[in-house]
Each structure stands twice: as C-alpha cells, then as structure tokens.
Amino acid sequence: MAFWVGALVVGGVSIVFAQLADWAQATFLAAGHAFWAVPLLLTPAGFVFCTWAAREFFPGAQGSGIPQAIAARQMPRGMALKRLLSLKICFGKIALTVVGLLTGASVGREGPTVQIGAALMLQVSRIESLANEGGLILAGSAAGIAAAFNAPLAGVVFAIEEMSRSFEFRTNGLVLTTVIIAGLVSLGLTGNYTYFGITHATVVRPWDWGLTVACGTLGGLAGGGFSRLMLEGSRFARAWVAADDAKRRFAFPLACGIVVALLGLATHGATFGTGYAQARAAVEGHAPGWDFWLAKFAATLVTAISGLPGGIFAPSLAVGAGLGAWMAGASGASLGAVLGMAGYFAGVVQAPMTAFVIILEMTGNDANVIPLMLASMLGFAASKLVAREPLYHALSRDFIKPLAGSANPPSATE
C-alpha cells in the first residue's frame, strides 16, 4: 500500500508542478509584454535569489536534479535520503524552479521532476523499512519522466539507459509498476496527449536521408559542445567564486541573469523559459527564426552554469528543434525539427535510446522510427568526439565528492 501511494503521489505532484511551471512562465511573458524592461529588472534578481536560496536553505537542489538522483544511487543507505532526496529539498526544488521560470530563466521542469520523483519514492523506504533504496530511486526517476512528458516508454528507457546504465532484472518490475501508476494519474488528470503535438512528416526522399545524417551529425556536435561547455564552465565558475566567495557568490549569478535577460530581449522573449512553444511550433511546421537555436543554446548554457535550480531537458529539445528546422528550411521545418531534436538531445545527454523514444512519444511520429534512431546514434557518436564523458554522470560526481566525505553542502554552481 505504501508503494502504491508513493507512485500515486509522484504522478500527482508531477502534474501540479507542471501546472505551476506553466503559470510561472505565462505570467513572466505577460509582464514582459506589458513593460519591456521587466526582464532587465526581474531576471538578474531572480538568478541571485534562486542561487542564494539553493545554497543557504536547499543545498542539493541546484541544477537539473538528474545528477543528484544518479549520485544518490551510489551513496550508502540513508545518506541519499538525508542529503539529496529529502522532502525539504523536494519542495525547495519545486519552489525555486517555479521562481526561476517566473523570472525568465531558461530552464525546464523535467529534470527537477526526476529528483522529486526519486525523493518521493524514497520516502516509501522510511515507511516500510525497505532495503531496495536504489530500486526506489530508479522507479521514482522513471515515473517522473513518464509523468512530465506523458511518455511512459521513455520513462522506462531513461531509467535503464541513463540512470542505471544497465538492465537490472530485480528492479524492472518496480520501475514498470511505478511508471504505470504515475502514468494513470497523469492520464486521469490531463488526458492522453502528445507533448509537442503531432507531426506526420516522414523521411521518403533521398535528400531527406541527407537531412537525417546532417541533423544527427551537426546536432550531436552542437549537443556535445553544450555538454563540454557546461562541465568546464561549471568547474571554472566554482573556482572563480571560491576565490572570493563573499562577493562573487552574488556577482556571478547576477551577471548570468543580465546575460539571459539581454538574450531574451534580443529575441523578443523567445529564449525565456522552457522553449516549449517554439519547439512545438517547429514540430508543427512553423520554423522559428534562424537565430533562435543559437540564442537558446547560450541562454540555457548560462542559466545552467549559474547553478539556478532547473532542468535542461525541454530547453535542449527546443534548441534541437530550432537547429533542425533551420537546417531543413521552411518547407521541411517539421521533419527537420524532430530529427534535430533527436541528434542534439542525444548529443547533450549521450543517451541515444532515450532520445529517440522520448521524441517518438512526444510527437506521435511513428513512421519515422528508423530515421530517428539513425539521427540519435549519429548524434551520440558525434558528441563523443567533443565531450568524452556523459553530462549527467559527470555532474553527479560533484555531488558525491563533498557529500560522501564531508558535512559541508555543495556550492551554488554544483
């Protein structure tokens, strides 16, 4: 009963979080349309507040949330629940991600939902004194992805490929059951829908296969570039802030907020928030401006390096959609968008199975299975030329080191 209730709660909290995130983004964009200078005033202040609050009150809530869930599975029993997946961090993650969207940060809610799902499921181990903490973290993470995107298959594949990096027979039933229950909650509250709408664009002509190869290869190189810049930028930021912590802990997020505000103003607000609207428009055949993907790339990178709580899933898909639509041109924007998402996202996370399954489910593009698989594999291979280590697993080590050997919390950029 405790396990079932835990899975139900993951599904319900994921839906509430999604509605809060949508409200926050819509509110910020409406305020920006009413008065053009709102981003210059609100975005830098939001960055400073969120990174400060995460550091002082919710250590472990910084960044995506997926590295924390990965790190938690490698910690001794009880430590993950206390340090990275407590209820306090869970609700702090929700609150600060919503504030980030309310102030224009280029973040998504999907990565945070993974950490929240893992934290909520881990409470079951406290109630029932279950020994399989790792399995519960895996199940909660999968349920978080499934509920966030209404993509149950992607949730299962994500748990196998990205979270555990292997198929664990003893936890497969746990993962599947949790995903089913959380998915039923999502279906009951929001109905059956495809996250980015539906496209029927397919690869049929010879040059369409050329586009597939181009989107996979160039998308993977761009995704690998993002991954490497984020890792090296985060490490540089930690060292730079630590050199004069009293002053730079506020100066750094302030500068990041100013950059994100200026990028948003330059693109008429297109780079603020998740990028969902722009990605969906591209999937449905309405390509964003040629400069959108570059500006969104930069805004997401700066936001991630700042240490502000929030994920890169949706922003990365938006970058990939914009890149692919630009490469395909106006006549092939829809096909280019889905292929670009596959190549770029596989390049960022270096998880090709998750990339093509999640895009397949989010666009209802069943006729493009083989092209999506090819673009994802090409993206993965191209990314390895630029970034040697997978992004989330590399970031997870930043949480394992200080938490496993010290009582001190990680810094704001971790």
Side-chain angles (χ1 to χ4, degrees):
M1 181 61 71
F3 172 77
W4 280 51
V5 170
L8 287 169
V9 170
V10 171
V13 170
S14 298
I15 298 305
V16 172
F17 185 24
Q19 292 175 341
L20 287 172
D22 291 344
W23 166 83
Q25 179 165 326
T27 301
F28 174 80
L29 292 176
H33 289 148
F35 180 46
W36 71 271
V38 164
L40 288 177
L41 301 173
L42 203 56
T43 303
F47 271 62
V48 172
F49 171 78
C50 288
T51 54
W52 168 79
R55 173 171 175 153
E56 297 298 324
F57 300 107
F58 306 105
Q62 299 90 342
S64 164
I66 295 175
Q68 290 92 316
I70 293 172
R73 298 191 73 240
Q74 302 176 47
M75 290 182 175
R77 179 174 173 81
M79 183 177 289
L81 184 64
K82 181 180 179 182
R83 299 294 185 86
L84 292 178
L85 300 177
S86 67
L87 285 178
K88 177 184 176 182
I89 291 175
C90 174
F91 291 108
K93 190 81 169 189
I94 293 173
L96 294 179
T97 302
V98 170
V99 173
L101 288 168
L102 192 59
T103 54
S106 181
V107 293
R109 56 177 170 80
E110 296 77 21
T113 305
V114 168
Q115 186 178 8
I116 292 162
L120 293 173
M121 283 304 297
L122 201 56
Q123 303 307 310
V124 175
S125 69
R126 298 181 64 183
I127 298 170
E128 290 293 330
S129 299
L130 299 179
N132 191 7
E133 282 193 357
L136 289 170
I137 293 170
L138 201 64
S141 301
I145 287 292
F149 284 122
N150 190 34
L153 287 177
V156 174
V157 173
F158 171 80
I160 295 171
E161 183 182 36
E162 183 62 20
M163 287 295 300
S164 68
R165 291 281 170 176
S166 65
F167 183 79
E168 299 181 11
F169 181 78
R170 67 190 181 90
T171 61
N172 67 336
L174 197 66
V175 170
L176 286 171
T177 304
T178 309
V179 167
I180 290 168
I181 295 172
L184 287 173
V185 174
S186 176
L187 285 173
L189 294 177
T190 63
N192 194 13
Y193 66 96
T194 50
Y195 191 82
F196 284 124
I198 296 176
T199 177
H200 299 293
T202 57
V203 172
V204 292
R205 299 165 297 184
W207 49 85
D208 291 340
W209 287 103
L211 178 64
T212 302
V213 172
C215 285
T217 305
L218 296 180
L221 290 172
F226 177 91
S227 177
R228 182 162 183 173
L229 287 171
M230 183 176 169
L231 286 172
E232 294 185 358
S234 296
R235 291 163 183 162
F236 170 81
R238 285 197 298 273
W240 188 80
V241 170
D244 190 358
D245 186 74
K247 295 179 180 178
R248 294 179 179 179
R249 70 166 70 177
F250 299 111
F252 184 72
L254 179 67
C256 291
I258 292 171
V259 171
V260 171
L262 292 174
L263 285 169
L265 289 174
T267 57
H268 306 287
T271 59
F272 291 128
T274 62
Y276 167 80
Q278 290 76 19
R280 179 161 188 155
V283 168
E284 293 178 346
H286 308 291
W290 66 270
D291 58 340
F292 165 75
W293 77 270
L294 283 171
K296 189 63 176 174
F297 179 103
T300 305
L301 179 63
V302 173
T303 301
I305 291 174
S306 75
L308 185 144
I312 62 172
F313 248 71
S316 293
L317 292 170
V319 173
L323 172 61
W326 169 66
M327 291 174 61
S331 61
S334 183
L335 179 60
V338 294
L339 294 173
M341 283 196 290
Y344 182 80
F345 188 71
V348 171
V349 301
Q350 295 189 359
M353 286 176 60
T354 300
F356 85 79
V357 170
I358 205 169
I359 292 161
L360 197 67
E361 284 193 282
M362 289 192 303
T363 61
N365 197 208
D366 296 341
N368 257 355
V369 174
I370 298 300
L372 284 173
M373 292 175 68
L374 177 59
S376 298
M377 284 304 300
L378 288 172
F380 169 69
S383 174
K384 297 291 285 185
L385 299 175
V386 182
R388 294 183 179 180
E389 49 187 348
L391 177 63
Y392 289 135
H393 286 262
L395 290 172
S396 72
R397 291 195 289 272
D398 292 332
F399 290 94
I400 295 171
K401 292 174 186 175
L403 294 176
S406 169
N408 296 326
S411 68
T413 54
E414 292 178 311

